[in-house]
Amino acid sequence: MVAGRGAGLLRSATSSGRATFLELFFDLAFVVALTRVSQRFADLGSDTGWALVAGLGRTLLLFLALWLIWSHTVWITSRYEPERSVIQAVVVGTMFAALVMAVTLPRAMEERALPFTVAYLMVMVVRPLVVAAALRGHPRRLVPFRLAIWAAVAAPLWLVGALGPDGLRLPLWAAALAVDYLAWTLGWPLPWLGAAAVGRWRIAGEHLAERHQQMFLVALGESIMIIALAFSGVDYAAGRAAAFGVAFTTSALLWRIYFYRAGLLLTEALDRARMPGQLGAASGRTHALLVLSVLVTAVGYELVIAQPYGPPRPTWLLFVVGGPVLFLVARLRLEYEIFGRVSRSGMIGLVVLLLVPAALVRWSPMVGLSVVAGVLALVALLDALRSRQQPPEDIASPIGRETPGNRGSEA
């Protein structure tokens, strides 16, 4: 009977796979967070050498901490019934913590390190204990207990990093974040209890896919906002107007390339997978790269719109070209997860973008952005031509297939 009461918290076969309005409301906090991440990236536009590397490392760490919070929340609402009051309270509480992290993020590596850390640990340590208590003796309560214990192990590194010398903050937080991600990858193993492999979890595959697609669109929306703000915040000039148009075209091409077949079929692939948790975990890592690539690309928009024909700066290519390169790498990975292969068009675009920086370093930022848009347009065109010449390709994901060697009970 006790387990039965706890079982009511789990998603049933009749539960809707669509994201709830509360979850879309929850994403608003991450709109703010992604804006702050982009701001930190943009502040590195004039840095070089070690200052650039250190700045990129700090910003990437903060992004990965935010992504872990978002990802864990998505898995909670894919595994448990999002209409239950306790789950809704968990989502709202997480949203507030994420908002605190977002507003402290610009100075999270400086004087606002402690509130950033406290908000993060409240989600990582307290939230799983709340879920475990709500499960009321159900066997799956051990999973959130595992999460809480592993998060508590990493907590001293977060707190010492926040309270200690500024020079130790980055290495300590990097070590703490590595523990948190490693624990997730291994299934939070504990002595005598073993691990709770995420790949074996029963989840709402349709819901998880939709949430990943929505976060990619949120990132694209962030890029559109940056384009608009960058153009409206400077004096009008024909060159800036041209950069504004090319930047918007680039974002539209990112949308087209992502959703052409692979991104569009993610929902169906997760729905068909015998082990959707395994494919969902792989897809989550891929979408972290996709979202990051859009943020980096958006920083390139801002730099180019501000000075489209300014002096060439090699570090700008890190954003103008590096963002689209990361996007194509992640997009090829997504194709493999859905179809078990990668497309020629994506490979061609990736190779071209890897070769052009040596030539673009002598040209103005506007030329670099235009070349990137041209390469992405070529990828989209080759995809469109391929779709006309061949019938639509069916899903053939090599991930999430259950074999006799990996059968087992679901945690």
Side-chain angles (χ1 to χ4, degrees), residues 9-25:
L9 199 65
L10 306 175
R11 272 186 177 267
S12 65
T14 58
S15 178
S16 173
R18 303 302 303 272
T20 63
F21 290 117
L22 176 60
E23 292 170 274
L24 298 179
F25 179 55

Side-chain angles (χ1 to χ4, degrees), residues 291-304:
V291 170
L292 180 63
S293 72
V294 173
L295 296 181
V296 173
T297 303
V299 174
Y301 299 157
E302 185 174 2
L303 297 174
V304 175

Side-chain angles (χ1 to χ4, degrees), residues 289-321:
L289 294 177
L290 285 164
V291 170
L292 180 63
S293 72
V294 173
L295 296 181
V296 173
T297 303
V299 174
Y301 299 157
E302 185 174 2
L303 297 174
V304 175
I305 291 173
Q307 291 184 307
Y309 297 106
R313 296 182 184 178
T315 54
W316 286 21
L317 292 176
L318 184 66
F319 302 103
V320 175
V321 180

Side-chain angles (χ1 to χ4, degrees), residues 64-354:
L64 291 175
L66 286 165
W67 183 261
L68 192 63
I69 295 295
W70 185 84
S71 295
H72 278 194
T73 306
V74 168
W75 280 81
I76 285 174
T77 53
S78 290
R79 184 170 169 85
Y80 303 107
E81 180 54 62
E83 299 295 342
R84 292 294 299 270
S85 298
V86 64
I87 299 301
Q88 291 180 345
V90 162
V91 172
V92 172
T94 303
M95 180 181 179
F96 179 75
L99 193 59
V100 172
M101 293 172 67
V103 299
T104 59
L105 193 142
R107 303 293 295 174
M109 284 291 181
E110 292 80 23
E111 69 273 9
R112 295 183 179 178
L114 185 58
F116 181 91
T117 299
V118 171
Y120 177 83
L121 291 179
M122 287 295 292
V123 176
M124 295 298 293
V125 178
V126 177
R127 183 176 66 177
L129 294 177
V130 172
V131 174
L135 285 169
R136 298 181 182 179
H138 191 280
R140 289 192 198 179
R141 75 191 186 283
L142 295 178
V143 175
F145 271 130
R146 289 183 175 96
L147 271 70
I149 291 173
W150 271 92
V153 169
L157 293 173
W158 285 105
L159 290 171
V160 173
L163 298 172
D166 291 350
L168 293 178
R169 187 161 299 137
L170 180 58
L172 286 174
W173 280 11
L177 194 62
V179 171
D180 288 336
Y181 270 94
L182 180 63
W184 190 13
T185 302
L186 298 178
W188 306 277
L190 292 176
W192 300 288
L193 293 179
V198 175
R200 301 189 187 280
W201 287 8
R202 293 191 185 96
I203 58 169
E206 178 187 358
H207 177 270
L208 191 65
E210 185 175 296
R211 297 295 288 130
H212 285 149
Q213 292 166 340
Q214 288 167 350
M215 181 48 64
F216 177 75
L217 287 175
V218 166
L220 277 182
E222 169 66 18
S223 74
I224 297 297
M225 183 172 66
I226 286 178
I227 293 170
L229 292 176
F231 187 50
S232 64
V234 296
D235 295 334
Y236 175 81
R240 292 190 178 111
F244 171 79
V246 175
F248 174 79
T249 301
T250 303
S251 283
L253 288 168
L254 295 179
W255 165 81
R256 163 66 181 174
I257 294 170
Y258 169 82
F259 277 105
Y260 174 73
R261 299 297 293 163
L264 193 62
L265 292 178
L266 178 61
T267 299
E268 187 176 349
L270 277 166
D271 192 49
R272 286 190 189 182
R274 295 183 179 179
M275 300 178 69
Q278 188 174 343
L279 179 56
S283 172
R285 292 187 288 269
T286 299
H287 280 78
L289 294 177
L290 285 164
V291 170
L292 180 63
S293 72
V294 173
L295 296 181
V296 173
T297 303
V299 174
Y301 299 157
E302 185 174 2
L303 297 174
V304 175
I305 291 173
Q307 291 184 307
Y309 297 106
R313 296 182 184 178
T315 54
W316 286 21
L317 292 176
L318 184 66
F319 302 103
V320 175
V321 180
V325 165
L326 183 59
F327 171 80
L328 288 180
V329 169
R331 179 60 175 71
L332 289 170
R333 177 185 164 107
L334 182 63
E335 278 187 340
Y336 176 77
E337 291 167 358
I338 303 301
F339 301 116
R341 54 84 183 157
V342 295
S343 65
R344 290 183 181 179
S345 60
M347 288 300 300
I348 291 172
L350 180 60
V351 170
V352 173
L353 287 182
L354 288 173

